[in-house]
Amino acid sequence: MRRVRRMLDPPIGLLLNAVTGVAAWPLFPLLGGCAVLVPVGGLGRFLMTRVLGAVRALADFHRDRAARVLGHKTAPRPERDRTARDLAWLAVHAVVGPACPISVVALFHFARVILYLRTAESSPTVSLTLSLSILAFVATGLAAIPLLHTLHARLTELLLRPSLAGRIRELAESRAAVIDAQAAELRRIERDLHDGVQARLISMRMNLGLIRSMTDADPVRELAREAYDTAGEALAELRALVRGILPPVLADRGLAGAIHAAALLHPIPVEVDIDLPARPEPPVESAVYFAAVEALNNVAKHSEATRAWVRLSHSDGVLRLSVIDNGRGGADPAAGTGLDGIRRRLSAFDGTLTVHSPPGGPSEITMELPCALSSQKISHS
């Protein structure tokens, strides 16, 4: 059965390329019309976003197919030059996609023409020549099917692959984002320690100093009670600080258990669907967990949603996390809603953030990180 599928994949792939190539033709006049309408107002931008979304979905579909055909792993692409490359690929695909199967059909048509060709002279030499010509056209057509299928996949991969300059720029920006994020995290920890725990400990030390110099029992008991309460508050703040650095549930139960725990504590119902056969590496687990928590916090603060969904899976060397809600939509990474912080956090691991949030909802935030799973299996206890 698998052998049959491998044999049928090239002709089906060529046919699919032709269909999607022809289907891409109306997108060009639509893009032109939307470009004219964009200065008019919100409708033009809305339509342009929809058309570019269709172009992106088509490019991603063929990029994933090309990776499967060539036996490569699909890795996330940087957002910076993605639209330009998608449009360039679409222009080429609109021509090459239909042209490949047409050329194969033309070869078989030539063989058919020779088969029914009436010659002025009938002889064994002429018959042999015509038979060999028919076989040559048929053989060439059969050989061209897998060849053109593979060439189209390589062309797709080449056109949709990020440029070297863009890749270098993306890595430089992600490195700067990591340094900034680490510096901000250190400042946060220092501020929490200084304003919280340190202040509590100083207050407790002052109370204990007063207790040493007192002999009356009632004031001593009152100061001792205050010192006891202050020690409890300091301990609670220390625990909260530790959870902010590395939650114990993440270390004990892994990413799946930590996301389940975060969903249970969320103020709106969250449905979790996780397909993760093993644990990612600890740095990836931490980054994805805090990104998921930040995305769920955004849902609670800004979306006015009544329900949310979290989906986590790993395939083709890529960890994918989606956070979906049925809220009012309109999420914008540039609007300061925390999405830009998630993007910076993921960029440290060459990850990407995709936001689909039309006005009126629903909203879907998709995070992708290329990573391998460790040998440590998921614990379901």
Side-chain angles (χ1 to χ4, degrees), residues 9-61:
D9 188 55
I12 293 175
L14 285 185
L15 182 60
L16 184 61
N17 292 339
V19 172
T20 55
V22 173
W25 294 351
L27 293 176
F28 293 102
L30 284 175
L31 285 169
C34 291
V36 174
L37 292 175
V38 163
V40 175
L43 178 61
R45 288 191 292 271
F46 174 75
L47 293 176
M48 177 65 82
T49 301
R50 289 289 188 175
V51 176
L52 289 178
V55 173
R56 171 173 292 193
L58 189 62
D60 286 342
F61 171 74

Side-chain angles (χ1 to χ4, degrees), residues 352-367:
T352 60
L353 174 72
T354 304
V355 179
H356 178 69
S357 182
S363 298
E364 180 173 0
I365 301 172
T366 303
M367 312 167 207

Side-chain angles (χ1 to χ4, degrees), residues 66-301:
R68 287 195 297 270
V69 171
L70 300 175
H72 298 166
K73 290 184 178 180
T74 305
R77 289 190 294 159
E79 296 288 331
R80 180 177 294 276
D81 60 350
R82 184 168 182 176
T83 300
R85 287 187 167 272
D86 287 351
L87 292 175
W89 168 84
L90 187 69
V92 175
H93 177 69
V95 177
V96 176
C100 289
I102 288 175
S103 61
V104 175
V105 171
L107 290 172
F108 289 117
H109 176 69
F110 292 150
R112 181 178 179 277
V113 169
I114 295 173
L115 179 64
Y116 290 100
L117 184 66
R118 295 181 179 275
T119 58
E121 178 185 353
S122 178
S123 65
T125 304
V126 173
S127 299
L128 178 62
T129 302
L130 294 178
S131 299
L132 292 176
S133 299
I134 293 172
L135 290 175
F137 277 113
V138 171
T140 304
L142 293 175
I145 293 175
L147 178 62
L148 292 175
H149 187 230
T150 303
L151 289 177
H152 186 278
R154 292 194 180 278
L155 181 63
T156 298
E157 185 186 53
L158 178 64
L159 292 175
L160 296 180
R161 181 190 304 161
S163 63
L164 181 59
R167 182 63 178 154
I168 294 174
R169 183 170 56 248
E170 191 78 14
L171 291 174
E173 290 179 357
S174 66
R175 181 176 180 273
V178 171
I179 295 174
D180 291 343
Q182 289 177 340
E185 189 70 11
L186 288 175
R187 287 194 298 270
R188 181 189 69 81
I189 295 173
E190 181 184 12
R191 183 177 62 253
D192 291 345
L193 288 173
H194 181 272
D195 298 340
V197 178
Q198 178 177 285
R200 307 275 184 201
L201 292 176
I202 291 174
S203 175
M204 186 172 64
R205 188 173 186 273
M206 292 175 62
N207 287 337
L208 292 175
L210 290 173
I211 289 174
R212 291 178 59 186
S213 62
M214 288 184 174
T215 57
D216 194 352
D218 290 338
V220 167
R221 279 195 295 269
E222 180 64 22
L223 289 174
R225 183 187 61 79
E226 291 181 6
Y228 179 83
D229 294 340
T230 303
E233 293 171 357
L235 182 60
E237 291 186 2
L238 275 175
R239 286 173 176 169
L241 184 61
V242 169
R243 283 196 298 270
I245 299 173
L246 181 63
V249 66
L250 182 62
D252 296 339
R253 300 178 56 193
L255 183 58
I259 290 179
H260 274 291
L264 290 175
L265 298 175
H266 201 261
I268 67 174
V270 179
E271 182 179 327
V272 180
D273 180 15
I274 296 180
D275 180 16
L276 207 59
R279 295 182 60 169
E281 296 301 322
V284 175
E285 278 193 329
S286 179
V288 174
Y289 168 77
F290 284 111
V293 170
E294 180 66 25
L296 287 174
N297 289 339
N298 286 338
V299 171
K301 292 178 183 177

Side-chain angles (χ1 to χ4, degrees), residues 289-349:
Y289 168 77
F290 284 111
V293 170
E294 180 66 25
L296 287 174
N297 289 339
N298 286 338
V299 171
K301 292 178 183 177
H302 308 289
S303 71
E304 300 177 5
T306 59
R307 194 166 186 83
W309 295 263
V310 176
R311 297 169 184 167
L312 178 66
S313 63
H314 184 276
S315 62
D316 298 326
V318 177
L319 187 68
R320 291 179 178 87
L321 173 70
S322 297
V323 179
I324 309 166
D325 68 77
N326 62 350
R328 58 185 175 86
D332 183 4
T337 57
L339 295 176
D340 188 57
I342 296 176
R343 182 190 60 79
R344 290 197 305 269
R345 185 186 293 274
L346 298 179
S347 67
F349 301 90

